[in-house]
Amino acid sequence: MTAIVAALVGLVSVFSMSTPTAQAAEATRAGASSAADVRATAWTPVISPFYTDRERRFPSVDTEERNLLIDLCPSERLCVAAGEGNGLHTVYYLYYCTERSLTNFIGDGSAKNAQIDSATARLLNQNRVIRVSLDPDPDPVRIDWDPIYYIDPC
């Protein structure tokens, strides 16, 4: 009988202990409670295709740097910023006029169309219907990325 009680006590103590995965899941449900928890919930905003010869990507920048990168968007570029879910942002400087797919562009972000010759950028929903048109403008604008699945820089 003593052996059975000892075995039950051992099983209860094993199952009552939280595993790291269970702790991370609980932290996500309850709201991130530490920097490690925040990093565990982060994502990476991706634009595809992305052309590295004339385009730039700035990952994991803080809000101040994101604002500066968008404000300094070079001429002939469409610049967009999206959050990473951890307080950091990814900024893209797009050059080529090719429709792109967006992945993990979630929540609020920003964009600035610094193109020339009246090139209008178009942000499209999942059915490729234009949701936002961005004419060239020296001022950045806030973008709700949730309904946007595609981007056509010009």
Side-chain angles (χ1 to χ4, degrees):
M1 182 71 166
T2 307
I4 293 173
V5 171
L8 286 174
V9 169
L11 282 173
V12 168
S13 67
V14 167
F15 286 115
S16 67
M17 293 174 38
S18 294
T19 65
T21 304
Q23 289 171 347
E26 188 60 34
T28 301
R29 283 191 294 273
S33 60
S34 72
D37 294 335
V38 170
R39 281 189 301 276
T41 61
W43 56 81
T44 301
V46 175
I47 293 179
S48 178
F50 178 71
Y51 304 98
T52 57
D53 62 326
R54 297 201 66 182
E55 299 181 335
R56 298 280 316 266
R57 177 178 174 265
F58 304 91
S60 302
V61 298
D62 64 25
T63 301
E64 185 176 328
E65 189 173 5
R66 177 211 56 199
N67 292 342
L68 183 62
L69 287 167
I70 290 292
D71 286 340
L72 297 176
C73 181
S75 179
E76 301 182 345
R77 302 292 189 275
L78 171 66
C79 300
V80 298
E84 297 175 1
N86 58 0
L88 299 175
H89 313 271
T90 298
V91 176
Y92 285 91
Y93 287 178
L94 304 176
Y95 178 80
Y96 292 107
C97 296
T98 304
E99 183 180 284
R100 324 296 180 90
S101 299
L102 304 180
T103 304
N104 291 329
F105 273 64
I106 300 168
D108 288 337
S110 61
K112 180 177 176 180
N113 187 352
Q115 298 178 91
I116 58 173
D117 298 328
S118 302
T120 299
R122 290 170 295 284
L123 310 181
L124 311 149
N125 71 8
Q126 62 191 3
N127 298 317
R128 289 188 165 83
V129 174
I130 297 170
R131 292 292 304 243
V132 178
S133 291
L134 298 171
D135 291 325
D137 192 331
D139 296 319
V141 296
R142 180 169 289 288
I143 301 293
D144 174 11
W145 291 116
D146 290 339
I148 308 301
Y149 286 71
Y150 303 96
I151 189 168
D152 187 353
C154 42

